Amino acid sequence: MLWLSLSLFVSLANAKPLVARWDNMKLKHGWETLPAHWVPIGAAPEGATIDLHIKLKSADADALIGTLLEVSDPSHERYGKHLSKEEVAELVAPHSDTHAIVASWLAAHNIAARPAFNGDWLQLDAVPIETANALLDASYQLYEHPSTGETLLRTQSYSLPAALHGHVSVVAPTTFFGTPQAMRATSRVEENTKVVQEDVLRAQALSPDAVPSSCASTITPSCLKALYNTTGFTPAATNRNILAVAGYLQEFANQADLTTFANRFLTGASSATFGTVLINGGQNSQNNPGVEANLDIQYTTGMSFPTPQIYYSTGGSPPFISDDNTPTNTNEPYLNFLDTFIAQSPLPQTLTTSYGDDEQTVPLDFATEVCNLFAQLGTMGTSVMFSSGDFGVGGGDCQTNTSPRKVQFQPIFPATCPFVTSVGGTTSVNPEVAASLSSGGFSNYFAQPSYQTSSVATFLNAIGTQFNGLFNRTGRGFPDVAAQAEHFQVVIGGRVGSVAGTSCSSPTVAGVVSLLNDFRLSEGKSSLGFLNPLLYSTGLSGLNDITSGSNPGCGTAGFTARAGWDPVTGLGTLDFGKLKALLG
């Protein structure tokens, strides 16, 4: 609906203020206490500006999710009939009255706006801080994260005119203090752990029934191909199938390291390469590559070569120090990436991301709208994977940030979003068991989606009253699936190191999913899109259940993996051969 975006732009540019009481402000969101680890350090520098995003409420609040579940349900007649960007824009379009009233409000403050995403968001560029404070009855100031040295402009609360609460869902950045450096990258280098300089198994056609015991201590692509039954499959739809990796923390993947990795750990892949898209000051100097970025691109390549890979390097995380050249605060980890990614043509069919925040640190309204953007990707045919986290049922003291504080398991966002596929971790072989680092549990924000009700109920009935009061029994359960998460052999700066974390698991699963997308596309079918309704129904027989191990945290033993779904390894690991047969 191009005409909608154009008409909205024109209305915002030309609208005259309507008669309205913009001074009748009503709180939209505020924190009871300042989010942990952030301290105020003073007023914004003179001349500072901030880029703002405004989410306009959709006229039909249920249309997007209803459509997503239909096109993702293998038993529905609409299965696989994904929507175009224009069709999604129509689904999420605001009510016509919304355009006029929001335009009037912005005009009263002499602010121009332009459409973003699929037309249901507005972007306000370089708004002076004093104007932003007046617009939102806010108090933007500088805050610092002492452990990272990062600073950013945020406000502990903001309000909207009462007349706008029925038209605007969220304004960002306002009260979300998460930034890429403060977000938790779900990987770590394993010091003093065995590494191998090359994969001696790569010339062998390993099967799931013959996974070498060496894979318990050193994971290579050959180990993963055997474990997840992809050995021998050659992608055929490489002219239209794309696998994307989202990166933050000023990290980028290094081409020389990928070439070294391919020569040492893959067969016939010395030509392996990847594209790079820079977002909001993302880096790609090819010096001092990131562990996370190299891990991701090496193992998506390792699982799916020669499928095209694209690494999205999203910046915005350096300390915010305003000057004449860079007066604008643009630290916004999710929206900056998604604004660019949704506009991609063609849109990658598979996306993996290995970052997350404690759910309680993300304002609910913001989390909801970011989650809905992932739902938009699903309706357009993109499968979205997020690592579940590396902190069991919770890291640190697990204190809530509400008053009075109490100990509670800490779920990880966006892994808790019901419209992404959350990936937990396993370790060992013959059999695989849950990795103790694997984050999992239940969302405090998102209700349990219908596609997993039966599976989660079986688990809850089995544990009875265990951990009562420490988690939300009616929340969305995560993770959904799992993959290996320890002892990954990664080339970093020309040298091989061992890496652990669900950052290893998510790109591994994404590689398998990309192969499934390749198979479907080469058969003239659609990509898989949102995976969960398939995984929890007919796809269940294509998974390997993990039935032992646990994820301790918060001073407890954590949940225990068991038959069926569990909040440690989800439904289990993917068997490509079985899933391919089911999807044929």
Side-chain angles (χ1 to χ4, degrees):
M1 289 187 56
L2 180 61
W3 65 269
L4 176 61
S5 295
L6 291 175
S7 64
L8 177 57
F9 177 82
V10 171
S11 69
L12 290 172
N14 300 327
K16 302 297 183 183
L18 302 177
V19 177
R21 291 187 56 82
W22 302 130
D23 58 345
N24 181 21
M25 304 296 281
K26 179 181 176 183
L27 182 69
K28 194 70 175 67
H29 182 261
W31 293 113
E32 293 181 19
T33 59
L34 185 65
H37 311 302
W38 290 97
V39 294
I41 59 172
E46 184 177 353
T49 61
I50 190 166
D51 292 343
L52 296 174
H53 281 94
I54 298 176
K55 172 62 174 73
L56 305 176
K57 289 188 176 181
S58 300
D60 186 344
D62 300 323
L64 172 64
I65 306 309
T67 300
L68 173 69
L69 295 178
E70 289 178 357
V71 301
S72 308
D73 181 354
S75 67
H76 199 280
E77 63 182 2
R78 294 187 67 187
Y79 180 64
K81 297 179 180 178
H82 300 122
L83 278 62
S84 66
K85 180 179 173 69
E86 291 75 21
E87 289 169 328
V88 171
E90 187 170 356
L91 275 185
V92 299
H95 191 279
S96 56
D97 290 349
T98 295
H99 303 156
I101 193 169
V102 172
S104 176
W105 170 55
L106 295 176
H109 291 272
N110 297 312
I111 296 176
R114 57 185 175 89
F117 301 103
N118 276 314
D120 54 330
W121 289 75
L122 300 178
Q123 181 161 331
L124 318 183
D125 295 321
V127 178
I129 291 302
E130 58 270 21
T131 303
N133 283 336
L135 184 75
L136 303 172
D137 194 22
S139 182
Y140 280 97
Q141 60 178 313
L142 286 174
Y143 293 85
E144 183 178 43
H145 194 286
S147 65
T148 67
E150 189 174 21
T151 61
L152 78 175
L153 277 169
R154 292 296 186 268
T155 177
Q156 283 189 244
S157 67
Y158 78 102
S159 300
L160 292 172
L164 290 179
H165 278 248
H167 298 275
V168 174
S169 296
V170 67
V171 181
T174 49
T175 55
F176 175 38
F177 281 71
T179 65
Q181 284 194 16
M183 292 163 69
R184 297 178 173 183
T186 53
S187 67
R188 59 180 172 82
V189 174
E190 297 176 299
E191 302 291 348
N192 303 316
T193 299
K194 179 182 177 181
V195 297
V196 295
Q197 296 305 311
E198 62 178 318
D199 187 356
V200 298
L201 303 172
R202 58 181 168 166
Q204 304 176 37
L206 301 175
S207 72
D209 299 322
V211 180
S213 59
S214 63
C215 293
S217 57
T218 53
I219 287 290
T220 64
S222 295
C223 295
L224 298 174
K225 290 176 181 180
L227 282 164
Y228 307 130
N229 200 14
T230 70
T231 303
F233 180 81
T234 301
T238 56
N239 62 333
R240 53 194 183 280
N241 189 35
I242 303 171
L243 200 168
V245 175
Y248 298 96
L249 297 172
Q250 301 297 320
E251 286 206 359
F252 50 85
N254 182 272
Q255 177 61 56
D257 283 345
L258 176 60
T259 299
T260 300
F261 178 84
N263 287 332
R264 294 186 183 184
F265 293 96
L266 300 173
T267 299
S270 58
S271 63
T273 188
F274 59 94
T276 301
V277 174
L278 304 182
I279 302 172
N280 191 31
Q283 302 296 305
N284 188 32
S285 70
Q286 293 297 291
N287 295 318
N288 299 316
V291 173
E292 182 72 51
N294 272 7
L295 162 67
D296 287 342
I297 210 70
Q298 288 172 23
Y299 276 88
T300 53
T301 298
M303 295 302 293
S304 68
F305 179 82
T307 300
Q309 321 277 315
I310 300 177
Y311 185 84
Y312 290 83
S313 177
T314 301
S317 65
F320 172 68
I321 302 174
S322 176
D323 59 30
D324 291 340
N325 296 318
T326 56
T328 298
N329 177 244
T330 57
N331 288 346
E332 209 321 295
Y334 299 118
L335 297 184
N336 287 332
F337 164 72
L338 286 167
D339 194 14
T340 295
F341 189 79
I342 284 178
Q344 296 298 289
S345 181
L347 187 66
Q349 292 87 353
T350 310
L351 169 66
T352 177
T353 311
S354 296
Y355 298 87
D357 297 273
D358 284 347
E359 187 183 67
Q360 68 169 356
T361 68
V362 185
L364 174 58
D365 53 4
F366 179 84
T368 299
E369 296 304 339
V370 168
C371 188
N372 286 341
L373 286 171
F374 292 124
Q376 289 190 30
L377 290 177
T379 63
M380 292 188 282
T382 297
S383 302
V384 180
M385 267 66 65
F386 268 90
S387 56
S388 71
D390 294 352
F391 304 94
V393 291
D397 61 12
C398 296
Q399 292 280 331
T400 62
N401 59 4
T402 55
S403 182
R405 292 182 179 272
K406 61 180 181 178
V407 172
Q408 193 172 54
F409 292 168
Q410 293 298 320
I412 303 295
F413 178 82
T416 54
C417 170
F419 312 128
V420 307
T421 299
S422 174
V423 185
T426 64
T427 190
S428 193
V429 297
N430 303 319
E432 289 185 80
V433 301
S436 60
L437 57 79
S438 183
S439 285
F442 298 83
S443 174
N444 292 314
Y445 283 180
F446 301 104
Q448 195 177 109
S450 58
Y451 60 73
Q452 69 171 189
T453 300
S454 176
S455 298
V456 174
T458 299
F459 174 82
L460 292 174
N461 289 336
I463 68 169
T465 60
Q466 185 183 29
F467 302 135
N468 265 8
L470 290 177
F471 70 95
N472 175 23
R473 296 178 69 93
T474 64
R476 184 271 207 263
F478 80 106
D480 301 297
V481 293
Q484 288 282 316
E486 297 182 345
H487 316 313
F488 274 53
Q489 305 301 288
V490 180
V491 176
I492 308 161
R495 302 178 63 181
V496 179
S498 185
V499 178
T502 53
S503 281
C504 302
S505 313
S506 189
T508 298
V509 169
V512 177
V513 171
S514 186
L515 293 182
L516 291 170
N517 278 328
D518 178 278
F519 168 70
R520 283 184 60 85
L521 292 170
S522 65
E523 294 282 310
K525 298 176 181 178
S526 69
S527 59
L528 290 169
F530 178 44
L531 296 168
N532 294 5
L534 166 69
L535 295 174
Y536 283 86
S537 58
T538 57
L540 193 58
S541 60
L543 302 175
N544 308 307
D545 199 5
I546 307 299
T547 58
S548 62
S550 61
N551 60 350
C554 301
T556 75
F559 295 112
T560 300
R562 58 185 303 120
W565 180 89
D566 56 71
V568 191
T569 61
L571 299 166
T573 64
L574 276 60
D575 185 310
F576 172 77
K578 292 179 180 178
L579 289 167
K580 176 174 170 285
L582 289 169
L583 294 167

